[in-house]
Amino acid sequence: MGPVTSRGAPSRGVAVWLRARSGLDAIETVMAWISAACILAAGLYIVAGIGLRTAFNSGVYDELVIVGELMVGAIVLPLALVCARRGFIAVEVVSGLLGARTQRGLDLLSDVVGLLAVVPLLVAGALALGHVLHDESFYFGMLNLPKWPGYVVFVAGYAVFAIRLLDLLVHDLLRSLGAIPDAADDAPPPAEEHGL
């Protein structure tokens, strides 16, 4: 069965895939908000440390550890959202001169190379998480913070990133084969006009 029925509606398989994509969009948005909260929390913790050192000649506990863990979330969690929007650095001076078919091929190549780069990182992170959980590792400091939260954030961020890359690979492959229109779901939906 093709991707579109005779009435122009998406087939059942495509409809399920589009619903899954919208669910993935929601997860990516939540992860981006958590990333923003990590940046805000790290900034507040740094400011508190500076303020306490300046005013009272003291500081906050485990500042480097906590800020470092928050930076993991700030960097890793929005990767899938950036990927979904194809917001990575691209050499558009060259690729803009190429034809649409070549650009589709470059999109496919970037999906494959991205997966080849992300999957080993995800596997290594999952193995490291297993070791940290097994050993009940913690950071040495005043608070004795466990190491596992940062590893969980790393693995979760890269897992969603890998899923999004796989989704884009399927999307770009179907687009290259002509199974879906060129910019069917790349463009934002048209805004409704409201008369006042």
Side-chain angles (χ1 to χ4, degrees):
M1 177 181 264
V4 177
T5 62
S6 58
R7 295 184 197 143
S11 70
R12 182 181 172 131
V14 171
V16 169
W17 178 51
L18 291 174
R19 276 196 306 275
R21 288 189 103 195
S22 67
L24 189 56
D25 290 341
I27 291 169
E28 291 165 351
T29 302
V30 169
M31 291 175 87
W33 279 103
I34 294 170
S35 171
C38 288
I39 294 169
L40 180 62
L44 291 174
Y45 207 71
I46 291 168
V47 168
I50 293 169
L52 286 173
R53 276 192 297 278
T54 303
F56 303 107
N57 201 21
S58 69
V60 293
Y61 294 129
D62 297 340
E63 184 175 357
L64 292 177
V65 171
I66 291 173
V67 170
E69 292 290 288
L70 288 170
M71 286 298 103
V72 171
I75 293 168
V76 172
L77 292 178
L79 285 175
L81 182 66
V82 171
C83 179
R85 295 183 178 175
R86 298 188 193 267
F88 295 118
I89 297 171
V91 186
E92 293 188 19
V93 174
V94 176
S95 66
L97 300 174
L98 304 173
R101 185 175 184 159
T102 306
Q103 288 181 356
R104 285 193 299 268
L106 288 174
D107 286 342
L108 271 171
L109 179 63
S110 70
D111 299 336
V112 170
V113 170
L115 276 170
L116 290 175
V118 167
V119 169
L121 290 171
L122 177 58
V123 171
L127 291 174
L129 173 61
H131 290 303
V132 165
L133 289 173
H134 181 267
D135 297 340
E136 297 179 4
S137 300
F138 60 92
Y139 293 104
F140 293 106
M142 294 296 292
L143 300 176
N144 287 333
L145 296 170
K147 289 185 175 181
W148 65 263
Y151 285 85
V152 168
V153 168
F154 182 89
V155 170
Y158 270 96
V160 176
F161 186 24
I163 291 168
R164 176 53 80 181
L165 279 169
L166 190 59
D167 167 68
L168 288 177
L169 178 64
V170 170
H171 173 267
D172 293 339
L173 188 60
L174 289 174
R175 191 176 65 175
S176 294
L177 296 173
I180 58 175
D182 248 0
D185 48 11
D186 291 336
E192 293 182 15
E193 295 181 11
H194 300 285
L196 296 176

